[in-house]
Amino acid sequence: MTNEHCPGFESNKSLAEVKLKCPACGTEFGIFSDETEKTAKCPDCGVAVDPKTAKA
Ligand SMILES: [Zn+2]
């Protein structure tokens, strides 16, 4: 609690990474656990990926 120099960064520490697999091209990529409620976007082909159905 005493070594913080960047509160914004510290607040991200509790987030886990969720691995997704693009249903269109098969690329695996990660999103943060707080982003599973919204549609993700494949970094390779740009297709919309639903985190609920595309877990790797
Ligand atoms: Zn893709």
Side-chain angles (χ1 to χ4, degrees), residues 3-50:
N3 283 341
E4 293 183 61
H5 70 272
C6 186
F9 179 79
E10 286 293 316
S11 68
N12 283 335
K13 267 174 60 177
S14 62
L15 294 176
E17 191 185 31
V18 178
K19 285 270 190 184
L20 301 182
K21 187 171 187 176
C22 174
C25 71
T27 295
E28 292 187 8
F29 61 100
I31 62 170
F32 288 118
S33 57
D34 71 338
E35 296 178 315
T36 56
E37 295 303 312
K38 53 191 175 187
T39 304
K41 194 173 182 183
C42 174
D44 195 35
C45 70
V47 78
V49 179
D50 184 349

